[in-house]
């Protein structure tokens, strides 16, 4: 064909613009001229925007070298090919967490075990290397785990079954050198989960009820283990004591280190992108100030409080006709509502008199100050018990260790509550949070409330949407960036919502969902790229920090699925020293039958 009359390049380009991308690649093999036109940047720019349905106002990824390679990245480098299914758990798998090196990951399950897995086998398969059951410590199940910064310790959070079938939380610290249990820390409520502040200290929570609707959450800093020096220093220290109103509590704590903001992996503000540079022992049970009997009394009182709130104590109600009973219930509901409003007003007045005044400059950035900032992030609320706000509290340098007095001078003054440094209202039920690797962006799963809804009863939050919105919050500007991502769904009612864990890599964000799928989005283009199928609810996903083309998903179907990109699957199937690919057809799949332009095989 090279010897015949050639069509003008402009005409070939016009033809290619009307063809799908795989046909363009096939046509490029016909001759040198068509090959050159099939690599045209303008052509691939048009194919890119039309195939992925991206608005033309969205610029190309700042790290991309060409539209041709960017199309290939999104087509070939998404971990969407299932390569292995792990079935060692015997009940719902709730959470997955990678080590910082990416060589191990942990899994938590309703079967009350935490399992460790190896990802560095020569054949590319993943195998279990250790399993610990927490039933011997009276746990109901394990629900969350996290590696410390140097991958030497594993934090495991679970539900602890106390006396009278009351449930609280507990955190265990396991050594990854010999898999021994180093310490156990009380954690209440259990969905605080807990988190590492640094290599040796972790954060837990405790909850004290002040009234029927008012409580205070105490956040504690705990040393992960006791050594010889610990006999003379504190192993626990109170960080913050925060008042809660309208039956809300602090949950889901995590730590963001803002020193990473100066070299972000990816800026989501397109204007900022354009202006930026190119991206390139015997276990020790820590007692937090209450004995077991005191905790049992607190649990009993909490159950009685819940019964009063829900109107479950009916032992002394007289036998009434249905109409008379309805009248009494309405009267009791009215009285309960008035009592709740009165308690909320009292709690707000008490907070004004007994809460430290917030420092307006604590989150502002002075020159050179960005290096030292550490934020504690958590879910909270002010209108109802369902978590609908993100609370932010700065942890100061002198609070990074348990050394010093456990109880500071704040206990001797009237100002015994700490104020929040910043609050972001999501206007919906928060069911998941995850930080980007550079800690610049916080991704939040929520189910929205109806627009304009007014919450009159904090114990009856408004209905929530089945669609899950994935919000993106810039922790440098403390504002929401872009429109929220939406593709996944949840169906449980507002009073039964559970956490759906998400994860963020350099270029992608992934989340589970109740529609039996996991989802992957591109962070820059704001588009959904893949759906990962399971047989039941997908509770958690996790990218390998060493390779974002490896993704794990955990489900209520008791399995963990391993997903790799088409590129990685193809490389694993090729010889040890494969020849350099001559064309882009290899990433469209070697099993596709290639045909020439004239239709001959």
């Amino acid at each position: 064909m090279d010897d015949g009359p050639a069509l003008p390049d402009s005409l070939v380009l016009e033809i290619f613009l009307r063809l799908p991308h795989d046909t363009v690649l096939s046509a490029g093999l016909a001759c040198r001229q068509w090959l050159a036109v099939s690599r045209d940047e303008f052509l691939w720019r048009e194919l890119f925007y039309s195939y992925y349905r991206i608005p033309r106002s969205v610029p190309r990824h700042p790290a991309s070298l060409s539209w041709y390679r960017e199309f290939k990245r999104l087509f070939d480098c998404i971990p969407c090919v299932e390569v292995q299914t792990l079935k060692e758990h015997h009940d719902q798998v709730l959470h997955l967490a990678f080590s910082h090196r990416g060589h191990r990951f942990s899994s938590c399950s309703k079967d009350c075990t935490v399992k460790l897995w190896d990802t560095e086998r020569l054949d590319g398969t993943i195998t279990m290397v250790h399993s610990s059951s927490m039933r011997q410590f009276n746990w109901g199940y394990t629900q969350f785990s996290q590696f410390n910064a140097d991958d030497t310790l594993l934090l495991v959070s679970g539900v602890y079954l106390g006396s009278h079938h009351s449930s609280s939380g507990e955190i265990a610290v396991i050594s990854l050198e010999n898999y021994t249990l180093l310490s156990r820390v009380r954690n209440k409520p259990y969905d605080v989960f807990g988190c590492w502040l640094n290599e040796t200290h972790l954060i837990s929570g405790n909850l004290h009820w002040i009234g029927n609707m008012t409580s205070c959450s105490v956040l504690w800093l705990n040393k992960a283990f006791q050594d010889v020096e610990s006999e003379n220093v504190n192993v626990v220290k109170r960080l913050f004591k925060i008042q809660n109103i309208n039956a809300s509590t602090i949950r889901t704590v995590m730590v963001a280190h803002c020193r990473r903001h100066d070299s972000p992996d990816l800026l989501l503000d397109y204007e900022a992108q354009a202006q930026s540079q190119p991206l390139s022992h015997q276990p020790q049970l820590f007692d937090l100030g209450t004995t077991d009997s005191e905790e049992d009394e607190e649990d009993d009182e909490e159950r009685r409080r819940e019964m009063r709130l829900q109107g479950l104590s009916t032992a002394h109600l007289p036998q009434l006709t249905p109409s008379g009973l309805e009248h009494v219930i309405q009267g009791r509901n009215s009285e309960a509502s008035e009592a709740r409003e009165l308690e909320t007003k009292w709690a707000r007045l008490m907070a004004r008199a007994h809460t430290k005044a917030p420092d307006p400059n604590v989150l502002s950035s002075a020159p050179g100050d960005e290096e030292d900032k550490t934020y504690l992030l958590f879910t909270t609320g002010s209108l109802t018990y369902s978590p609908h706000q993100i609370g932010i509290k700065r942890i100061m340098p002198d609070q990074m260790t348990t050394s010093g007095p456990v109880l500071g001078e704040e206990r001797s003054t009237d100002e015994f509550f700490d104020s929040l440094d910043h609050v972001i209202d999501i206007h919906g039920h928060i069911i998941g949070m995850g930080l980007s690797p550079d800690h610049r962006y916080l991704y939040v799963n929520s189910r929205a409330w109806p627009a304009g809804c007014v919450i009159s009863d904090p114990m009856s939050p408004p209905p929530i949407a089945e669609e899950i919105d994935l919000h993106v919050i810039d922790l440098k500007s403390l504002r929401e960036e872009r429109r929220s991502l939406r593709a996944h769904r949840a169906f449980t009612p507002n009073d039964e919502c559970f956490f759906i864990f998400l994860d963020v890599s350099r270029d992608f964000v992934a989340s589970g969902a109740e529609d039996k799928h996991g989802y992957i989005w591109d962070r820059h283009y704001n588009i959904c790229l893949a759906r990962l199928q399971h047989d039941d609810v997908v509770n958690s996903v996790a990218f390998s920090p060493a390779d974002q083309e490896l993704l794990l998903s955990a489900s209520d179907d008791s399995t963990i699925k391993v997903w790799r990109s088409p590129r990685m699957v193809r490389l694993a199937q090729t010889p040890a020293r494969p020849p350099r690919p001559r064309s882009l057809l290899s990433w469209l799949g070697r099993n596709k039958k290639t045909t020439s332009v004239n239709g001959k095989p």
Side-chain angles (χ1 to χ4, degrees), residues 79 107 116 140 239 491 561:
S107 57
L116 286 164
L239 278 178
F491 307 108
K561 289 192 175 184

Side-chain angles (χ1 to χ4, degrees), residues 476-495:
K476 189 169 186 177
S477 64
L478 298 177
R479 69 184 183 196
E480 187 166 353
E481 285 286 349
R482 302 192 185 168
R483 60 177 175 84
S484 59
L485 304 172
R486 178 181 289 181
H488 46 331
R489 297 169 68 86
F491 307 108
T492 53
N494 205 356
D495 58 348

Side-chain angles (χ1 to χ4, degrees), residues 59 123 125 147 182 243 251 324 337 573:
D123 60 1
T125 60
F147 291 80
L182 300 180
Q243 186 195 51
R251 311 173 187 180
S337 178
Q573 295 172 348

Side-chain angles (χ1 to χ4, degrees), residues 355-528:
T355 300
K356 295 178 181 179
D359 183 353
N361 300 318
V362 71
L363 298 185
S364 60
S365 297
D369 187 38
E370 199 74 24
E371 292 281 335
D372 300 323
K373 285 194 176 180
T374 301
Y375 292 162
L376 183 66
L377 314 174
F378 46 84
T379 63
T380 183
S382 62
L383 302 176
T384 176
Y385 69 85
S386 64
H388 58 95
Q389 294 175 327
I390 305 295
I392 301 178
K393 187 70 180 170
R394 182 177 176 185
I395 303 177
M396 305 305 290
D398 60 348
Q399 296 174 304
M400 297 289 183
T401 176
T402 55
S403 62
V406 176
L407 303 178
E409 60 180 8
E410 65 273 10
R411 279 267 175 115
S412 62
T413 70
D414 291 335
E415 298 176 341
F416 56 87
F417 290 131
D418 295 288
S419 59
L420 300 184
D421 296 328
H422 191 74
V423 176
I424 300 173
D425 203 311
I426 301 298
H427 195 75
H429 193 131
I430 298 172
I431 59 171
M433 295 199 302
L435 279 168
S436 61
D438 56 12
H439 288 200
R440 173 68 182 266
Y441 296 98
L442 177 68
Y443 287 74
V444 182
N445 267 337
S446 78
R447 296 173 62 184
W449 293 336
C453 70
V454 177
I455 300 176
S456 57
D457 183 0
M459 299 308 296
S460 299
I464 52 178
E466 288 186 352
E467 294 82 8
I468 301 176
D469 292 329
L470 185 50
H471 304 266
V472 188
I473 297 170
D474 186 344
L475 292 179
K476 189 169 186 177
S477 64
L478 298 177
R479 69 184 183 196
E480 187 166 353
E481 285 286 349
R482 302 192 185 168
R483 60 177 175 84
S484 59
L485 304 172
R486 178 181 289 181
H488 46 331
R489 297 169 68 86
F491 307 108
T492 53
N494 205 356
D495 58 348
E496 298 177 12
C497 276
F498 55 85
F499 218 69
I500 295 180
F501 294 95
L502 55 95
D503 196 26
V504 190
S505 71
R506 184 188 70 245
D507 295 320
F508 309 126
V509 56
S511 174
E514 289 186 51
D515 58 10
K516 304 180 182 180
H517 287 86
Y519 290 83
I520 304 176
W521 294 266
D522 184 83
R523 294 178 58 197
H524 173 75
Y525 297 108
N526 233 36
I527 56 172
C528 185

Side-chain angles (χ1 to χ4, degrees), residues 89-381:
H89 280 291
H90 305 295
D91 207 335
Q92 301 170 6
V93 188
L94 302 180
H95 183 251
L96 302 166
F98 265 102
S99 65
H100 293 81
R101 275 180 47 204
H103 67 303
R104 295 276 179 91
F105 73 87
S106 57
S107 57
C108 295
S109 169
K110 280 287 186 73
D111 64 13
C112 206
T113 65
V114 56
K115 300 184 187 299
L116 286 164
W117 310 79
D118 180 17
T119 66
E120 292 186 333
R121 288 174 57 93
L122 295 178
D123 60 1
T125 60
I126 290 175
T127 57
M128 187 177 70
V129 295
H130 180 74
S131 178
S132 292
S133 174
M134 302 303 291
R135 291 203 187 279
Q136 59 180 316
F137 305 111
N138 213 29
W139 283 27
Y141 55 88
T142 59
Q143 61 175 353
F144 175 84
S145 59
Q146 187 180 61
F147 291 80
N148 70 341
D150 57 8
D151 293 334
T152 58
L153 303 174
L154 182 69
L155 174 156
V156 183
S157 174
V159 175
Y160 174 81
L161 302 178
S163 59
H164 309 296
H165 303 288
S166 63
S167 62
S168 185
E170 193 167 71
I171 297 171
V173 178
I174 298 175
S175 168
L176 295 178
E177 181 180 357
N178 51 18
Y179 305 117
T180 57
L181 180 64
L182 300 180
S183 62
R184 291 160 56 202
V185 178
R186 295 286 169 83
N187 189 43
K188 187 176 181 180
Y190 58 82
D191 51 2
V192 169
F193 294 125
C195 65
W196 290 105
L197 176 62
N198 50 42
E199 289 86 348
T200 56
H201 292 79
L202 59 102
I203 296 174
S204 65
N206 205 350
L207 182 68
H208 305 281
W209 287 99
I210 302 173
N212 285 339
M213 304 286 291
T214 309
S215 64
C216 69
S217 291
V218 183
L219 298 174
W220 292 87
L221 182 64
N222 311 268
K223 194 171 184 181
F225 52 86
Q226 275 196 308
D227 46 28
V228 176
E229 297 178 355
S230 297
E231 296 180 1
N232 300 315
V233 298
N234 300 314
V235 293
V236 294
K237 184 177 183 179
R238 197 184 84 186
L239 278 178
F240 306 115
K241 183 177 182 180
I242 298 171
Q243 186 195 51
N244 307 308
I245 62 173
N246 286 328
S248 65
T249 62
I250 285 178
R251 311 173 187 180
T252 320
V253 297
M254 58 178 57
V255 171
H257 298 285
C258 301
R259 62 180 179 272
R260 306 185 189 180
H261 289 179
D262 291 336
S263 55
D265 296 326
L266 179 68
L267 289 175
L268 298 185
D269 185 337
Y270 295 138
E271 294 183 2
Q273 278 183 11
Q275 298 172 2
S276 67
Q277 298 296 324
L279 301 177
S280 58
H281 312 295
Q282 290 294 320
Q284 172 71 26
L285 179 62
F286 295 157
D287 187 0
L288 301 185
T290 57
T291 64
D292 289 340
S293 60
E294 290 173 335
E295 288 207 347
D296 291 342
E297 291 175 3
E298 287 183 8
D299 291 333
D300 291 340
E301 177 59 29
E302 182 176 351
R303 286 194 301 277
R304 289 193 292 269
R305 182 189 63 81
E306 292 176 349
M307 291 177 65
R308 289 196 300 269
L309 289 175
Q310 299 173 12
L312 297 179
S313 181
T314 58
H316 302 291
L317 286 179
Q319 298 297 319
L320 299 172
T321 62
S323 60
L325 180 60
E326 182 179 352
H327 176 75
V328 171
I329 291 176
Q330 288 178 354
R332 289 170 62 88
N333 289 341
S334 177
E335 292 175 2
S337 178
E338 292 177 0
R340 293 169 190 167
E341 291 180 7
L342 182 62
E343 182 177 328
T344 299
K345 291 180 181 179
W346 167 82
R348 293 185 189 277
L349 289 173
M350 185 176 68
R352 291 177 187 174
H354 300 289
T355 300
K356 295 178 181 179
D359 183 353
N361 300 318
V362 71
L363 298 185
S364 60
S365 297
D369 187 38
E370 199 74 24
E371 292 281 335
D372 300 323
K373 285 194 176 180
T374 301
Y375 292 162
L376 183 66
L377 314 174
F378 46 84
T379 63
T380 183

